[in-house]
Amino acid sequence: DAGITQSPRHKVTETGTPVTLRCHQTENHRYMYWYRQDPGHGLRLIHYSYGVKDTDKGEVSDGYSVSRSKTEDFLLTLESATSSQTSVYFCAIQGNNEQYFGPGTRLTVT
Amino acid sequence: DQQVKQNSPSLSVQEGRISILNCDYTNSMFDYFLWYKKYPAEGPTFLISISSIKDKNEDGRFTVFLNKSAKHLSLHIVPSQPGDSAVYFCAAGVYNQGGKLIFGQGTELSVKP
């Protein structure tokens, strides 16, 4: 157990509404990541953080923003949700070279 | 542009036999590789990794082989057990680049009793 929780675990929202997903870690790790998992694509990096207030884009960052005001929390925001953002979202923290993942959030945008 | 590819979406193996999962990559800059296992409704869990300076790494029933010239890695599970049934993802990264990983599409392994 890498001490990572995600909330909510499930969410259904309507197109055009803002949505924020939360990742919380208890391990004091510097690096945190947000991925989305879709059939046929594996996991794709959305954004990552290398410290408080330090973030950078991943390969599928359009339509997403992140914030990290405390070491333990990494927030992912969809400013205006679209149906293409229906997915399962995973947060991860960095170990040595491996990453440890949270349980995921299933987001459905109707 | 899929830099990491798992060309087999699924694999079925008999219990006790060997499972071989394959992964190909295109970016020669990758210098470490990892395998993850994922059960439904759970996050991926780290299984085993290998640095590009090695060609084999073993951990219990799991062995990863790396062929750099072919840009190919494989995960061997011996003997396979029904509890190994899951989706397996390979991933690749470059040292000192923020730990960012590129994942393959995944292979669903089914181990039949």
Side-chain angles (χ1 to χ4, degrees):
Chain A
D1 184 3
I4 309 170
T5 57
Q6 293 184 232
S7 59
R9 293 294 313 279
H10 301 272
K11 186 168 182 66
V12 180
T13 192
E14 292 184 351
T15 299
T17 59
V19 176
T20 295
L21 309 183
R22 179 179 182 244
C23 177
H24 179 79
Q25 59 142 332
T26 59
E27 306 280 327
N28 203 35
H29 287 271
R30 179 181 170 197
Y31 284 85
M32 298 183 74
Y33 309 84
W34 276 108
Y35 291 87
R36 60 178 288 175
Q37 186 201 358
D38 304 289
H41 290 279
L43 288 91
R44 292 180 291 175
L45 182 66
I46 305 170
H47 282 280
Y48 69 103
S49 170
Y50 47 96
V52 173
K53 296 190 182 352
D54 293 322
T55 65
D56 205 351
K57 295 178 180 180
E59 58 183 311
V60 290
S61 59
D62 286 349
Y64 302 95
S65 62
V66 290
S67 65
R68 192 164 177 205
S69 58
K70 303 186 284 186
T71 299
E72 58 266 35
D73 289 326
F74 191 31
L75 304 181
L76 177 70
T77 297
L78 292 66
E79 301 290 348
S80 177
T82 68
S83 58
S84 64
Q85 293 176 313
T86 292
S87 187
V88 181
Y89 291 86
F90 290 101
C91 173
I93 59 175
Q94 179 79 348
N96 289 325
N97 290 308
E98 68 279 6
Q99 292 178 13
Y100 298 96
F101 287 82
T105 294
R106 181 172 293 277
L107 176 67
T108 302
V109 183
T110 61
Chain B
D1 177 23
Q2 191 84 28
Q3 297 185 67
V4 178
K5 293 182 183 179
Q6 294 175 255
N7 291 315
S8 298
S10 62
L11 174 67
S12 184
V13 170
Q14 206 69 30
E15 181 179 6
R17 299 289 185 102
I18 184 171
S19 295
I20 300 176
L21 297 101
N22 294 303
C23 181
D24 296 297
Y25 63 96
T26 58
N27 189 344
S28 58
M29 298 296 292
F30 290 139
D31 47 25
Y32 65 101
F33 305 88
L34 311 94
W35 284 95
Y36 283 83
K37 175 180 180 178
K38 185 183 180 303
Y39 292 120
E42 295 184 9
T45 55
F46 169 70
L47 264 180
I48 191 168
S49 64
I50 187 166
S51 165
S52 61
I53 63 173
K54 296 186 175 182
D55 55 17
K56 177 183 174 181
N57 189 25
E58 190 172 356
D59 184 1
R61 295 186 298 114
F62 302 92
T63 303
V64 56
F65 295 92
L66 176 62
N67 182 333
K68 282 182 63 178
S69 61
K71 293 190 175 68
H72 177 83
L73 65 153
S74 61
L75 175 68
H76 292 211
I77 306 174
V78 183
S80 301
Q81 300 172 354
D84 296 329
S85 297
V87 177
Y88 290 78
F89 293 99
C90 66
V94 179
Y95 289 127
N96 300 319
Q97 288 208 357
K100 293 180 288 184
L101 296 177
I102 304 295
F103 283 81
Q105 307 97 309
T107 296
E108 183 171 10
L109 173 66
S110 176
V111 180
K112 307 223 179 277

